[in-house]
Amino acid sequence: MQKFLLFFCILVLHIYKNCCILTLVETRQDMKIQHFIKSAYESLPFIISNIHVSAKCRALNFQEEYIMKEKVVLAYSGGLDTTALIPWLKETFDYDVVCCCVNCGQGNELDGLDERAKLSGASKLYIEDIVDDFSDNYIMPCVQAGAVYEHKYLLGTSMARPAIAKKLVEIARKENAVAICHGATGKGNDQIRFELGIKALAPDIKIIAPWRMTDVWTMQSRDDELAFCQAHGINLPFDASHSYSRDRNLWHISHEGLELEDPSQAPNYDDMLVLSVTPEKAPDKETEVTMTFEEGVPKTLNGKAMKVSEIITELNRLGGENGIGIVDIVENRVVGMKSRGVYETPGGTILMAAHEQLEELILDRDTMEAKKKIGSQFAQVVYEGKWFTPLREALQAFVESTQKYVTGEVKFKLYKGNIIKAGTTSPYSLYNESLASFTTGDMYDHHDADGFITLFGLPLKVRAMKLLEVEKNKNNK
């Protein structure tokens, strides 16, 4: 009899769960069935109370299993911040935590993530590979725009965040999650980038930002997070006193914290660098590189056809070996404060330089000038997290229109942190040797410069004449 009652409990729980999901209310008969199942479900406590204790426990466990918890998708990196968030979300909100790690080219940082996430209490971990999408649809628009923030920062983190936000929304929809959680701090730019992306793509999904929820998020340092994880049986290979805060993807790796928080201190490059060596430690010989582009997109590297992601990977190796692309920056964050970081962008620095080397041969003066302004604005838009906006789309449309003839070959040498040009060719080159040569040619008549200078300098001459007239009138009084 008790076995029958236990089976009945399990059956009711299973049917009730599926009825809730399917919402069978299309016909009067369906409503009667659902009413019966609901009544049976509400009677379960009475039925369970009459079952033997061991069977009762089993029934209660089944009941707990089949009552669906709300889900949250956690942007998971496997680092200290996001690992601590898993047990915290479960304890604070009673959420079913689904982790999503978006692979933008982090390399071996993805090793062991599944085990770590499950050990920390996550019900599921997605590892979504978007390396090619990131390369083609986020990196290349920035390269083609020449987008550099405050003259130095090549937007490695900035351009990755909207790509990650888009994937988080996709997983949230797939899992029917009610919320997305990120581990960005309340002082940084990433909170803005993640949340603007999520709001633009899924305005109905709740966003949880623990570092701004100081009433329930009591951890204020990496030491606090380590202690919290250890208290929950999660032992992590991190040491708060000897660990930079890093962000890595295919394009770059950033370093913040420790001695970098004091602008008067030099970076400890020996302890810091991951992708590169310093120029002083680079080889005492040049590395020759040849690249080809078609309509602004890199196609071959040293004679070998490759995808964009593969070209960047190889350029990272070559650039890292030669000390290319290490920058120490104090930048102005969107939230109003200055921050200091060291960025390693070996492949990105080379790719940007190679693309610019080709463009200067092809684009006319007015287009170059306009594109320079657009590139600066594009960098600002991306840095501020406004990727999914009409403005970014409009700016990118202009940039794409300038790339139609950016086709050709560039050669350069890498040597101790330097990129040295070694020749550029293009079928669309606007460089004309007959015009540019110091030797007089048929296409250029020096006498034409007389009229041009007269007209070009006319505003200056008129102003100067007026000032002389005013001064003369003063002296005659």
mmCIF file of all heavy atoms in Angstrom, residues 91 102 154 167 207 251 262 282 318 348 374 376 380 384 391 415 424 434 437 440 454 462 471-472:
data_model
loop_
_atom_site.group_PDB
_atom_site.id
_atom_site.type_symbol
_atom_site.label_atom_id
_atom_site.label_comp_id
_atom_site.label_asym_id
_atom_site.label_seq_id
_atom_site.Cartn_x
_atom_site.Cartn_y
_atom_site.Cartn_z
ATOM 1 N N GLU A 91 21.992 30.959 -2.052
ATOM 2 C CA GLU A 91 21.598 31.271 -0.683
ATOM 3 C C GLU A 91 20.731 32.518 -0.604
ATOM 4 O O GLU A 91 19.803 32.593 0.199
ATOM 5 C CB GLU A 91 22.845 31.471 0.186
ATOM 6 C CG GLU A 91 23.633 30.202 0.429
ATOM 7 C CD GLU A 91 24.862 30.440 1.283
ATOM 8 O OE1 GLU A 91 25.078 31.603 1.698
ATOM 9 O OE2 GLU A 91 25.608 29.479 1.529
ATOM 10 N N VAL A 102 31.607 32.345 -21.903
ATOM 11 C CA VAL A 102 31.680 32.644 -23.332
ATOM 12 C C VAL A 102 33.148 32.686 -23.742
ATOM 13 O O VAL A 102 33.911 33.531 -23.278
ATOM 14 C CB VAL A 102 30.987 33.977 -23.644
ATOM 15 C CG1 VAL A 102 31.014 34.249 -25.143
ATOM 16 C CG2 VAL A 102 29.541 33.964 -23.137
ATOM 17 N N LEU A 154 43.292 49.681 -27.250
ATOM 18 C CA LEU A 154 42.747 49.039 -28.443
ATOM 19 C C LEU A 154 41.449 48.273 -28.181
ATOM 20 O O LEU A 154 41.063 47.410 -28.970
ATOM 21 C CB LEU A 154 43.791 48.111 -29.066
ATOM 22 C CG LEU A 154 45.118 48.759 -29.479
ATOM 23 C CD1 LEU A 154 45.987 47.773 -30.247
ATOM 24 C CD2 LEU A 154 44.885 50.005 -30.312
ATOM 25 N N LYS A 167 25.373 36.510 -26.115
ATOM 26 C CA LYS A 167 25.316 35.070 -25.857
ATOM 27 C C LYS A 167 24.610 34.769 -24.534
ATOM 28 O O LYS A 167 23.858 33.792 -24.430
ATOM 29 C CB LYS A 167 26.728 34.484 -25.861
ATOM 30 C CG LYS A 167 26.788 32.975 -25.695
ATOM 31 C CD LYS A 167 25.987 32.243 -26.764
ATOM 32 C CE LYS A 167 26.555 32.394 -28.144
ATOM 33 N NZ LYS A 167 25.827 31.545 -29.139
ATOM 34 N N ILE A 207 18.400 42.029 -14.232
ATOM 35 C CA ILE A 207 19.869 42.026 -14.139
ATOM 36 C C ILE A 207 20.271 42.092 -12.672
ATOM 37 O O ILE A 207 19.782 42.948 -11.920
ATOM 38 C CB ILE A 207 20.477 43.220 -14.898
ATOM 39 C CG1 ILE A 207 20.114 43.140 -16.388
ATOM 40 C CG2 ILE A 207 21.999 43.242 -14.725
ATOM 41 C CD1 ILE A 207 20.508 44.363 -17.183
ATOM 42 N N TRP A 251 42.092 38.961 -28.407
ATOM 43 C CA TRP A 251 42.673 40.242 -28.805
ATOM 44 C C TRP A 251 43.744 40.735 -27.845
ATOM 45 O O TRP A 251 44.723 41.342 -28.255
ATOM 46 C CB TRP A 251 41.559 41.266 -28.927
ATOM 47 C CG TRP A 251 41.925 42.595 -29.512
ATOM 48 C CD1 TRP A 251 41.909 43.801 -28.870
ATOM 49 C CD2 TRP A 251 42.317 42.883 -30.859
ATOM 50 N NE1 TRP A 251 42.260 44.815 -29.724
ATOM 51 C CE2 TRP A 251 42.522 44.273 -30.960
ATOM 52 C CE3 TRP A 251 42.531 42.096 -31.991
ATOM 53 C CZ2 TRP A 251 42.927 44.892 -32.149
ATOM 54 C CZ3 TRP A 251 42.917 42.712 -33.175
ATOM 55 C CH2 TRP A 251 43.114 44.090 -33.237
ATOM 56 N N ASP A 262 49.197 52.237 -7.833
ATOM 57 C CA ASP A 262 50.015 53.405 -7.486
ATOM 58 C C ASP A 262 50.734 53.877 -8.748
ATOM 59 O O ASP A 262 51.689 53.245 -9.184
ATOM 60 C CB ASP A 262 51.025 53.039 -6.400
ATOM 61 C CG ASP A 262 51.867 54.235 -5.961
ATOM 62 O OD1 ASP A 262 51.728 55.321 -6.564
ATOM 63 O OD2 ASP A 262 52.659 54.080 -5.017
ATOM 64 N N ALA A 282 63.439 40.781 -25.932
ATOM 65 C CA ALA A 282 63.116 40.258 -27.261
ATOM 66 C C ALA A 282 64.403 39.911 -28.002
ATOM 67 O O ALA A 282 65.488 40.416 -27.674
ATOM 68 C CB ALA A 282 62.309 41.292 -28.031
ATOM 69 N N LEU A 318 53.911 35.994 -32.779
ATOM 70 C CA LEU A 318 55.024 36.759 -33.340
ATOM 71 C C LEU A 318 55.242 38.064 -32.574
ATOM 72 O O LEU A 318 56.379 38.431 -32.256
ATOM 73 C CB LEU A 318 54.759 37.061 -34.817
ATOM 74 C CG LEU A 318 54.679 35.859 -35.762
ATOM 75 C CD1 LEU A 318 54.248 36.302 -37.148
ATOM 76 C CD2 LEU A 318 56.017 35.137 -35.817
ATOM 77 N N GLY A 348 46.996 42.363 -31.972
ATOM 78 C CA GLY A 348 46.115 43.472 -32.304
ATOM 79 C C GLY A 348 46.877 44.714 -32.727
ATOM 80 O O GLY A 348 46.482 45.418 -33.667
ATOM 81 N N ILE A 374 35.668 59.753 -37.297
ATOM 82 C CA ILE A 374 34.702 58.677 -37.065
ATOM 83 C C ILE A 374 35.326 57.580 -36.200
ATOM 84 O O ILE A 374 34.670 57.028 -35.307
ATOM 85 C CB ILE A 374 34.228 58.082 -38.407
ATOM 86 C CG1 ILE A 374 33.386 59.099 -39.185
ATOM 87 C CG2 ILE A 374 33.438 56.796 -38.188
ATOM 88 C CD1 ILE A 374 32.087 59.477 -38.528
ATOM 89 N N SER A 376 37.595 57.879 -33.903
ATOM 90 C CA SER A 376 37.636 58.327 -32.517
ATOM 91 C C SER A 376 36.258 58.210 -31.872
ATOM 92 O O SER A 376 36.130 57.773 -30.722
ATOM 93 C CB SER A 376 38.136 59.769 -32.457
ATOM 94 O OG SER A 376 38.145 60.241 -31.125
ATOM 95 N N GLN A 380 34.842 55.697 -28.770
ATOM 96 C CA GLN A 380 34.098 56.201 -27.616
ATOM 97 C C GLN A 380 32.800 55.415 -27.421
ATOM 98 O O GLN A 380 32.448 55.030 -26.302
ATOM 99 C CB GLN A 380 33.773 57.687 -27.830
ATOM 100 C CG GLN A 380 33.186 58.390 -26.620
ATOM 101 C CD GLN A 380 34.246 58.911 -25.685
ATOM 102 O OE1 GLN A 380 35.409 59.023 -26.058
ATOM 103 N NE2 GLN A 380 33.856 59.232 -24.471
ATOM 104 N N GLU A 384 32.054 52.885 -24.204
ATOM 105 C CA GLU A 384 30.929 53.168 -23.301
ATOM 106 C C GLU A 384 29.847 52.092 -23.329
ATOM 107 O O GLU A 384 28.817 52.222 -22.683
ATOM 108 C CB GLU A 384 30.320 54.522 -23.662
ATOM 109 C CG GLU A 384 31.254 55.696 -23.382
ATOM 110 C CD GLU A 384 30.680 57.028 -23.825
ATOM 111 O OE1 GLU A 384 29.595 57.033 -24.456
ATOM 112 O OE2 GLU A 384 31.312 58.064 -23.559
ATOM 113 N N LEU A 391 23.569 54.450 -33.497
ATOM 114 C CA LEU A 391 24.762 55.250 -33.753
ATOM 115 C C LEU A 391 25.932 54.365 -34.164
ATOM 116 O O LEU A 391 26.624 54.650 -35.148
ATOM 117 C CB LEU A 391 25.131 56.076 -32.523
ATOM 118 C CG LEU A 391 26.425 56.899 -32.636
ATOM 119 C CD1 LEU A 391 26.363 57.845 -33.832
ATOM 120 C CD2 LEU A 391 26.698 57.661 -31.342
ATOM 121 N N TYR A 415 60.799 44.271 -34.408
ATOM 122 C CA TYR A 415 62.105 44.300 -33.749
ATOM 123 C C TYR A 415 62.015 45.055 -32.424
ATOM 124 O O TYR A 415 61.771 46.254 -32.399
ATOM 125 C CB TYR A 415 63.147 44.969 -34.646
ATOM 126 C CG TYR A 415 64.539 44.999 -34.045
ATOM 127 C CD1 TYR A 415 65.273 43.830 -33.891
ATOM 128 C CD2 TYR A 415 65.099 46.204 -33.621
ATOM 129 C CE1 TYR A 415 66.547 43.853 -33.337
ATOM 130 C CE2 TYR A 415 66.368 46.233 -33.068
ATOM 131 C CZ TYR A 415 67.094 45.055 -32.923
ATOM 132 O OH TYR A 415 68.354 45.085 -32.362
ATOM 133 N N THR A 424 54.699 48.471 -49.285
ATOM 134 C CA THR A 424 53.252 48.322 -49.422
ATOM 135 C C THR A 424 52.874 48.400 -50.889
ATOM 136 O O THR A 424 53.366 49.269 -51.623
ATOM 137 C CB THR A 424 52.503 49.445 -48.660
ATOM 138 O OG1 THR A 424 53.082 49.633 -47.370
ATOM 139 C CG2 THR A 424 51.034 49.117 -48.517
ATOM 140 N N SER A 434 55.045 59.658 -60.581
ATOM 141 C CA SER A 434 55.272 60.799 -61.470
ATOM 142 C C SER A 434 54.912 62.111 -60.774
ATOM 143 O O SER A 434 55.569 63.136 -60.969
ATOM 144 C CB SER A 434 54.456 60.646 -62.750
ATOM 145 O OG SER A 434 54.624 61.773 -63.601
ATOM 146 N N SER A 437 57.410 62.370 -57.252
ATOM 147 C CA SER A 437 58.857 62.436 -57.406
ATOM 148 C C SER A 437 59.353 63.876 -57.433
ATOM 149 O O SER A 437 58.675 64.788 -57.916
ATOM 150 C CB SER A 437 59.269 61.724 -58.698
ATOM 151 O OG SER A 437 60.644 61.907 -58.947
ATOM 152 N N THR A 440 60.735 66.578 -62.103
ATOM 153 C CA THR A 440 59.567 67.141 -62.760
ATOM 154 C C THR A 440 59.021 66.163 -63.790
ATOM 155 O O THR A 440 59.744 65.612 -64.608
ATOM 156 C CB THR A 440 59.925 68.460 -63.473
ATOM 157 O OG1 THR A 440 60.437 69.370 -62.506
ATOM 158 C CG2 THR A 440 58.710 69.062 -64.151
ATOM 159 N N THR A 454 47.248 81.202 -54.160
ATOM 160 C CA THR A 454 46.539 82.487 -54.087
ATOM 161 C C THR A 454 45.125 82.290 -53.550
ATOM 162 O O THR A 454 44.681 83.026 -52.655
ATOM 163 C CB THR A 454 46.482 83.140 -55.486
ATOM 164 O OG1 THR A 454 47.809 83.419 -55.930
ATOM 165 C CG2 THR A 454 45.683 84.442 -55.445
ATOM 166 N N VAL A 462 43.077 88.365 -46.735
ATOM 167 C CA VAL A 462 42.008 89.347 -46.479
ATOM 168 C C VAL A 462 41.996 89.765 -45.022
ATOM 169 O O VAL A 462 41.864 90.945 -44.689
ATOM 170 C CB VAL A 462 40.647 88.765 -46.902
ATOM 171 C CG1 VAL A 462 39.510 89.656 -46.409
ATOM 172 C CG2 VAL A 462 40.581 88.591 -48.410
ATOM 173 N N GLU A 471 44.724 99.012 -37.797
ATOM 174 C CA GLU A 471 45.885 99.567 -37.098
ATOM 175 C C GLU A 471 46.259 100.929 -37.670
ATOM 176 O O GLU A 471 46.618 101.859 -36.929
ATOM 177 C CB GLU A 471 47.066 98.591 -37.236
ATOM 178 C CG GLU A 471 48.266 98.958 -36.385
ATOM 179 C CD GLU A 471 47.986 98.829 -34.902
ATOM 180 O OE1 GLU A 471 47.072 98.059 -34.525
ATOM 181 O OE2 GLU A 471 48.670 99.499 -34.118
ATOM 182 N N LYS A 472 46.178 101.058 -38.979
ATOM 183 C CA LYS A 472 46.502 102.330 -39.627
ATOM 184 C C LYS A 472 45.525 103.433 -39.223
ATOM 185 O O LYS A 472 45.917 104.577 -38.956
ATOM 186 C CB LYS A 472 46.482 102.152 -41.149
ATOM 187 C CG LYS A 472 46.885 103.391 -41.933
ATOM 188 C CD LYS A 472 46.891 103.091 -43.406
ATOM 189 C CE LYS A 472 47.295 104.324 -44.203
ATOM 190 N NZ LYS A 472 47.308 104.052 -45.667
#
